[in-house]
Amino acid sequence: MSQPRHRSVLRGVFVTTMALLVAHAYAKPAADALAPAGRWEGKTDGSASTPPMGWNSWNAFRTEVDEDKVMGAARVLVDSGLAKLGYTQVNLDDGWWLKRRTSDGRLQIRTGIFPSAATGGPDGTSFRPFTDKLHAMGLKAGIYTDIGRNACSQAYDLHSPNLPQGTTAEREVGLDGHVTQDINLYFKEWGFDYIKIDACGLADFVPGSELVKKQDYRAMAPLIERGSINRTDIGAVRARYEAVAAALKAARPANDYVLSICAWGMANVRTWGKDVGNLWRTSADITPSWTSMLHNFDSAAKRPLYAGPGHWNDPDILHIGHGDFDAAHPVEVRSHFSLWAMINAPMLVSYDLRNGPASFLAVLGNADVVRLNQDKAGHQGVVTYDSDDAQIIVKTLGDGQRKAVALFNRGASPAPVTLLARHLKLSDSAPVTLRDLWSKQSATFTGEKAFTLAPHETLVFEATGKRQLENGVYLSEIPGSINVAVDGTRQAQPDPTIHRMIDPWSNTRSGGSRPQYAGWGGAQADTTPFGQTLQVAGQAFDSGIGIMANSRLQVKNDAGHALLTASVGVDDSTENTKQPVRFHVYGDGKLLAESPPVAFGTKAHWLRADIRGVKIIELVVRGAASDGAPPVVATWGDVQLVRAAGR
């Protein structure tokens, strides 16, 4: 949880830290950032090789959670068989704490709702009996805190009976000033496996505000300004989460932990979340409405190059069980679940499992759809056809031969959708077999197949056929094998293509629910950074990577490909048409191929690099260092990896 419930609370005097040095946060990368590392720099810490699955207490109970409710959910996960499918995480959200003991800073648990925590002795309370129960059931335990002094409930759930109690200092239950102490408590002493860290403490306890005055909180000049990326201290926010990551690594050197960053897509988390945490929120809190689901889905769906094994885009908890996703809306329930599976979102359910209908368990228990989400290769689905009405999302599965495809009707009217073999990067002259993962029926087509989707319907298929590249793979098919080390963006900007719903907390009293995820201009699969067709001097490319100049991508060559080829150049969509760029291919740190300087309007240059024996390929685009002009949009057209002949 994280998003304001009553925005009028925060209309006090805003005192910002304008020693922010925003220019530093957005500046063009230093020359050494573009130098090949020769080693994989993607996230490897933590135990999230596939997206976390399980249950979270927040949407089910908010702060009015208790031990019986949590253990009841855990029992259903086990008894229903969901745990065997991977739903092993049981996450306790806000509402568990009583206070921070001022004598030694130790957090105390609200034993009135968690009676097993009343262990007595000098420590007062302990969650160890609680986590031991979960572990004995074959499950994992998660806990919640805030990166600042105070939690989100202390700003937005003031009616709650389970808010921290006591003096101002006793109610400061967040990590601020206690990172090592609290992480050691949670992970070494209490035995938790997963932590979700909110960020209200950095945004909402503003000096001079009515909230601070009425609740007698200690004010903090915000590091996150909810309405402005430029007034957010991105470096300071990142540094706080980095401190937690370091404490986690020290507390659990076996890497058996998960760090969930909940900064709601703010503080330009797109560029650094993958390097610090195992998952990072890309949006505000989801609400149980179709339009909220669209908003949250959009925030993550077009960022596949930033996610992969160990680090995942997080569009928030599944809201199955409530509102537009209750038992009366089976089409919407299946769509919500299917979309989260296709984009490798964490699959955390959050309704009262003890009282939910069997139909929900049937959806959550669809092993075929779960398998898409948990595929070991970790390739997030790529939006290969995009409109406000309907989308086609394609995901490459681990063996490289099979694809998953989702046909998604975003609207309230039936939608005609034609699936092309080339959407799947399969040959349009050979049969393609589709297996419907909901109906379990199969069909075959050649070239294209027409569908009519019901309102809000999502059809999901596993597809097999003859690949366009029989002896290789396009890089855009394997985003989970790519690390965007530097993406060349200079100014963080919200993505204007994210669906804007009526603000669920202020209705039409505000300017609408604006996107918070600063993903506009980031690296993209099969489109430019701004969603345009990849095109160089009039030559269009269905496949490729669109990225800004002064960027560096890393690619794992785990399959032992022998050759990389690409048609490279300045994209026709670039705003900067004056500055030339050069493209470079490195293998394990050594230069393998490079282009001459290429300028806008110049025909695409064909690059070829021998990558036999290379483990890490790095693709670098270098351009002029002009602060007065926007970065050049560069295209790696048809960039592909090819096996050696006879393999």
Side-chain angles (χ1 to χ4, degrees), residues 382-403:
V382 173
V383 178
T384 192
Y385 174 80
D386 190 26
S387 74
D388 291 336
D389 300 318
Q391 291 172 304
I392 299 174
I393 305 133
V394 177
K395 176 180 169 67
T396 302
L397 300 177
D399 61 9
Q401 300 303 310
R402 294 171 299 123
K403 298 292 184 86

Side-chain angles (χ1 to χ4, degrees), residues 340-621:
W340 261 231
M342 285 294 294
I343 64 170
N344 291 354
M347 301 287 261
L348 298 171
V349 296
S350 189
Y351 67 94
D352 188 350
L353 284 175
R354 303 167 304 170
N355 301 308
S359 62
F360 289 169
L361 297 180
V363 170
L364 301 174
N366 185 325
D368 286 332
V369 179
V370 168
R371 179 165 45 83
L372 302 184
N373 179 264
Q374 295 292 294
D375 188 80
K376 297 295 185 182
H379 302 313
Q380 178 175 320
V382 173
V383 178
T384 192
Y385 174 80
D386 190 26
S387 74
D388 291 336
D389 300 318
Q391 291 172 304
I392 299 174
I393 305 133
V394 177
K395 176 180 169 67
T396 302
L397 300 177
D399 61 9
Q401 300 303 310
R402 294 171 299 123
K403 298 292 184 86
V405 56
L407 312 180
F408 173 34
N409 182 359
R410 297 170 63 95
S413 300
V417 173
T418 300
L419 176 64
L420 308 179
R422 71 169 183 264
H423 287 143
L424 301 160
K425 292 184 169 49
L426 298 178
S427 170
D428 58 11
S429 61
V432 175
T433 299
L434 298 177
R435 178 173 177 263
D436 189 316
L437 299 188
W438 288 108
S439 73
K440 313 304 181 185
Q441 301 298 309
S442 295
T444 301
F445 73 94
T446 300
E448 62 182 51
K449 182 175 176 58
F451 298 84
T452 299
L453 305 183
H456 297 173
E457 183 178 27
T458 301
L459 298 178
V460 184
F461 304 94
E462 185 174 293
T464 54
K466 181 181 178 182
R467 293 177 50 80
Q468 285 181 347
L469 295 180
E470 293 187 76
N471 199 35
V473 63
Y474 291 111
L475 288 196
S476 58
E477 295 182 89
I478 54 170
S481 296
I482 296 174
N483 175 49
V484 183
V486 183
D487 66 12
T489 57
R490 297 182 191 170
Q491 178 75 26
Q493 300 179 68
D495 185 341
T497 67
I498 292 172
H499 178 81
R500 287 183 62 185
M501 58 183 168
I502 294 175
D503 193 302
W505 294 280
S506 61
N507 196 263
T508 56
R509 298 178 188 87
S510 73
S513 188
R514 301 182 186 279
Q516 300 171 159
Y517 197 42
W520 197 231
Q524 290 278 16
D526 290 345
T527 75
T528 74
F530 303 110
Q532 302 297 312
T533 298
L534 298 171
Q535 183 172 292
V536 176
Q539 181 183 2
F541 300 94
D542 288 336
S543 299
I545 304 294
I547 197 166
M548 301 293 196
N550 296 309
S551 58
R552 178 167 60 91
L553 298 174
Q554 297 188 310
V555 183
K556 289 182 179 179
N557 189 23
D558 291 341
H561 289 95
L563 185 68
L564 178 145
T565 65
S567 295
V568 301
V570 174
D571 196 90
D572 287 352
S573 68
T574 191
E575 184 179 350
N576 184 342
T577 61
K578 303 298 184 184
Q579 296 175 348
V581 298
R582 295 187 72 172
F583 293 76
H584 310 262
V585 179
Y586 295 89
D588 295 335
K590 298 179 180 179
L591 181 65
L592 303 179
E594 63 182 337
S595 75
V598 293
F600 174 77
T602 302
K603 183 179 178 181
H605 179 82
W606 193 67
L607 272 182
R608 181 183 186 278
D610 186 335
I611 56 171
R612 285 174 293 184
V614 169
K615 297 184 183 302
I616 303 298
I617 305 158
E618 295 181 81
L619 307 181
V620 177
V621 185

Side-chain angles (χ1 to χ4, degrees), residues 120-290:
D123 293 335
T125 59
S126 173
F127 263 131
R128 176 59 78 168
F130 171 77
T131 61
D132 282 349
K133 288 180 191 175
L134 291 174
H135 291 151
M137 298 168 71
L139 302 172
K140 297 179 180 179
I143 198 166
Y144 167 93
T145 188
D146 194 282
I147 198 72
R149 296 181 190 133
N150 298 93
C152 293
S153 62
Q154 293 175 285
Y156 302 114
D157 285 86
L158 298 177
H159 63 283
S160 171
N162 293 334
L163 294 180
Q165 296 178 357
T167 65
T168 296
E170 288 174 322
R171 289 180 290 140
E172 292 180 352
V173 293
L175 289 172
D176 185 73
H178 299 274
V179 169
T180 300
Q181 178 184 22
D182 287 359
I183 293 300
N184 285 340
L185 179 68
Y186 297 150
F187 285 86
K188 296 176 75 172
E189 187 173 336
W190 287 351
F192 282 96
D193 310 289
Y194 179 117
I195 189 165
K196 173 184 171 183
I197 306 179
D198 232 326
C200 291
L202 302 186
D204 299 327
F205 299 86
V206 179
S209 67
E210 288 299 308
L211 173 67
V212 166
K213 289 188 288 188
K214 287 184 177 180
Q215 300 300 321
D216 193 26
Y217 294 136
R218 189 157 52 122
M220 179 177 181
L223 299 179
I224 294 176
E225 164 54 68
R226 289 187 181 272
S228 174
I229 297 171
N230 290 342
R231 290 167 61 85
T232 290
D233 192 336
I234 294 169
V237 176
R238 174 175 179 165
R240 284 179 176 250
Y241 281 102
E242 286 179 328
V244 174
L248 276 167
K249 194 169 184 179
R252 297 288 275 267
N255 261 348
D256 53 341
Y257 64 84
V258 174
L259 169 56
S260 171
I261 297 171
C262 187
W264 335 297
M266 296 183 181
N268 205 22
V269 69
R270 171 187 58 85
T271 60
W272 56 266
K274 64 185 179 60
D275 301 317
V276 178
N278 301 112
L279 50 146
W280 55 95
R281 281 278 295 281
T282 59
S283 64
D285 284 7
I286 195 169
T287 63
S289 75
W290 181 256

